[in-house]
Amino acid sequence: PEDVWRAIATGPGISSWYVPHVVEEHAGGAMTASFGDGPGMQVAGRVVAWDAPHRVVFDGGEGVAGLTFEWLVAARESGTCVVRLVNAGFGSGADWDAQHDGMSEGWPMFLLNLRLHLEHFRGQDATAVLPTATWDAGRRSAWAALTGALRIPASPTIGERVVVGAPDAPALSGTVVDAAPWRLALLLDGPCPGTAILAVEGSGEQTSVSIWSYLYGPDRSAAAARDEPRWQGWLAEHAPTESVDQPGKSTTNS
């Protein structure tokens, strides 16, 4: 439970498998989640409850409508524990529906990354590399364009080693630990030990395309500083110029 608590309740811990966080570690403390550059991507919140190492609750702040995020940790035998995440809230309209759908798809990816962090890098801090771009393409054509441009399999098998073969992309290689028609999770061996999530999210004609990695070891900061702007530029350069999600049609890359 103590290892899990550090990963779910502290800034360095959460930053190692999700997005960068700053957390004041007590009930009533402030927290900030950073989803990108610029003030509009900084999401403020607070610590509602703090009962280490069993329960922590975050929300958007006093009087702020929205979701609460409750983490529960229960010890089990043989040095294991059960971790539960409960999202609570109520809203209406298309924006709320989109938020609900996004969490339903997003949380399984990040909870897998949390498990990988605890299994392989327990007690260590990662430096996150989080390039994301919006492509004018449906999910299927965007995933085909992404994997094709990276020169990696679109449908790899669990346990397969994947190496990015695109000559204009930063180095990235690792073993497949999870795969779906629109996402891929890797246990990295390059450019540093770590984890990675490649994903295309969204159900419309615009999708969010991400190549996120979490790097460990003494070279992680240098690798992140070098590769994040390169990945961001690569995603911008390789956005499909046309999007057709129909059998027999192909996607053209710029």
Side-chain angles (χ1 to χ4, degrees), residues 65-240:
L67 289 163
T68 61
F69 302 85
E70 179 180 23
W71 292 89
L72 301 165
V73 183
R76 291 293 186 264
E77 296 178 351
S78 303
T80 65
C81 58
V82 175
V83 183
R84 292 184 175 88
L85 170 61
V86 181
N87 294 156
F90 182 79
S92 62
D95 289 344
W96 179 262
D97 291 342
Q99 186 175 10
H100 178 276
D101 293 345
M103 288 194 303
S104 298
E105 290 189 348
W107 272 127
M109 291 192 300
F110 290 109
L111 292 176
L112 168 65
N113 205 35
L114 169 62
R115 180 170 63 80
L116 294 173
H117 167 70
L118 290 167
E119 287 182 354
H120 299 279
F121 305 103
R122 185 182 309 177
Q124 300 182 50
D125 295 335
T127 298
V129 180
L130 307 177
T132 302
T134 299
W135 284 6
D136 291 323
R139 174 177 283 181
R140 184 167 64 176
S141 59
W143 183 249
L146 176 65
T147 55
L150 290 173
R151 300 185 184 179
I152 63 174
S155 302
T157 58
I158 304 300
E160 181 179 352
R161 187 168 183 269
V162 169
V163 179
V164 168
D168 59 341
L172 194 72
S173 60
T175 302
V176 177
V177 292
D178 183 66
W182 54 274
R183 72 170 187 264
L184 178 64
L186 300 172
L187 186 63
L188 295 178
D189 52 54
C192 297
T195 62
I197 300 171
L198 286 66
V200 175
E201 298 176 85
S203 57
E205 289 304 309
Q206 270 197 341
T207 48
S208 178
V209 182
S210 304
I211 303 175
W212 287 13
S213 56
Y214 300 81
L215 307 179
Y216 298 82
D219 300 326
R220 69 184 190 276
S221 296
R226 178 192 67 222
D227 290 348
E228 185 157 24
R230 293 182 61 200
W231 275 123
Q232 194 66 56
W234 188 93
L235 285 171
E237 292 170 6
H238 288 271

Side-chain angles (χ1 to χ4, degrees), residues 34-63:
S34 177
F35 288 87
D37 296 330
M41 301 300 288
Q42 314 310 307
V43 179
R46 65 170 176 172
V47 181
V48 180
W50 180 276
D51 179 20
H54 305 295
R55 177 176 180 262
V56 63
V57 181
F58 302 109
D59 71 2
E62 185 174 359

